[in-house]
Amino acid sequence: MLKVKNIYKKYKQEEVLKGVDITVEKGDVVVVLGPSGSGKTTLLRCMNFLERADQGEMEFDTISIDMHKVSSKEIGKIRQKTAFVFQNYNLFQNKTALENVTTGLIVGRGIVKTKAVEIGMKALEKVGLADRASFYPSQLSGGQQQRVGIARAIAVEPDVILFDEPTSALDPELVGEVLAVIKQLAKEGKTMVIVTHEMKFAADVATNVVFMADGKIVEEGPPKEIFLRPKEERTKTFLRRILPQEEYNI
């Protein structure tokens, strides 16, 4: 469904991505793990062209593009097939929860307002926020704001949803409500790529786990293999630092 190959990205003299390949099949939940600075977020942003890779190729269904020389028209085609959920919500502060969901439908997809409102309300209901449709972001908790961000993503019915550390900006007591929504999407067979530090969540929802360090993919495989039988020493070191020893006997 979606394949990116040999992605390189440099900021000034710092090489952040060093030839990364990733494949996502329909229905996959690919979880990307790794220490801070490993290139996880940059990879995700390059996949949605929020950043332009210095080198790389993408195949998305029948679309094949050079990720560095990609045209605005090609980016538009990719974004019609994807949705991005940001770390810090990226909501319009002057718009209600419903308006935040419907704006992309009306402006980006050309859907008439009445239909967009119907779709938007269904999306908000799905994330448990139908009763907060008229609330502005300042009236919502962080977890509720992130759930609005997820509603905005699912409203456009994308082929792939990209999540960039969706709980990293939340207070600990609000993390669960956001993860519960993403788990439900996984149960429904939504195709997702998720950058996260939530290890238990990753083990529960992932069909494939990708471990990154220093701008490269060190190891990837099913969650049981990565969490219980990692092959690479770099992976083992990371997991020992992060996971309770009694829970995952690494």
Side-chain angles (χ1 to χ4, degrees):
M1 180 191 223
L2 171 61
K3 182 182 293 185
V4 293
K5 297 184 289 187
N6 206 33
I7 299 183
Y8 284 82
K9 178 65 180 176
K10 180 186 289 187
Y11 295 112
K12 296 182 179 178
Q13 297 306 310
E14 183 183 1
E15 202 167 34
V16 181
L17 296 176
K18 307 171 185 177
V20 174
D21 301 346
I22 192 166
T23 298
V24 185
E25 301 292 351
K26 186 174 178 61
D28 277 356
V29 179
V30 178
V31 173
V32 184
L33 307 176
S36 296
S38 59
K40 307 181 301 295
T41 289
T42 301
L43 170 63
L44 214 63
R45 291 177 67 85
C46 285
M47 288 172 68
N48 204 44
F49 300 97
L50 296 167
E51 304 279 353
R52 185 168 295 216
D54 299 324
Q55 180 182 326
E57 300 170 21
M58 174 181 282
E59 296 174 12
F60 202 148
D61 292 334
T62 59
I63 304 170
S64 296
I65 56 176
D66 182 316
M67 295 180 71
H68 181 64
K69 299 177 181 177
V70 62
S71 67
S72 297
K73 185 177 180 180
E74 288 171 325
I75 290 174
K77 287 181 179 179
I78 297 299
R79 288 184 176 165
Q80 287 287 317
K81 292 174 167 288
T82 61
F84 201 100
V85 178
F86 296 86
Q87 291 183 35
N88 295 309
Y89 328 135
N90 273 34
L91 300 181
F92 296 109
Q93 296 300 308
N94 63 338
K95 295 183 184 294
T96 65
L98 180 58
E99 288 168 341
N100 267 283
V101 176
T102 59
T103 296
L105 296 170
I106 296 166
V107 177
R109 308 278 170 137
I111 295 174
V112 296
K113 185 175 180 179
T114 52
K115 182 64 175 175
V117 168
E118 181 184 335
I119 295 169
M121 283 304 300
K122 285 181 180 177
L124 286 173
E125 185 176 357
K126 194 173 187 66
V127 301
L129 289 175
D131 62 338
R132 297 290 190 271
S134 63
F135 284 43
Y136 289 89
S138 61
Q139 298 172 302
L140 300 172
S141 70
Q144 289 171 334
Q145 290 184 64
Q146 189 60 292
R147 283 189 280 153
V148 173
I150 295 172
R152 177 177 57 190
I154 62 178
V156 298
E157 296 186 349
D159 293 341
V160 180
I161 307 175
L162 307 172
F163 290 85
D164 181 19
E165 299 193 25
T167 61
S168 65
L170 299 178
D171 291 334
E173 65 268 23
L174 300 177
V175 168
E177 65 189 57
V178 172
L179 296 183
V181 171
I182 301 173
K183 284 181 180 180
Q184 182 58 39
L185 295 177
K187 286 181 182 177
E188 293 170 8
K190 300 290 186 187
T191 307
M192 298 183 280
V193 182
I194 307 170
V195 171
T196 185
H197 289 293
E198 300 289 339
M199 297 294 129
K200 180 67 168 62
F201 164 73
D204 287 344
V205 304
T207 57
N208 194 51
V209 174
V210 173
F211 173 67
M212 291 185 66
D214 303 316
K216 297 179 180 179
I217 292 177
V218 176
E219 188 169 357
E220 62 181 306
K224 284 187 177 179
E225 284 188 16
I226 298 301
F227 288 119
L228 300 179
R229 295 180 294 275
K231 297 180 178 67
E232 301 297 325
E233 191 57 42
R234 184 66 183 86
T235 313
K236 293 176 184 178
T237 300
F238 174 77
L239 292 175
R240 285 193 192 105
R241 289 174 178 167
I242 298 286
L243 297 175
Q245 200 70 20
E246 66 276 10
E247 186 170 352
Y248 296 101
N249 186 26
I250 304 301

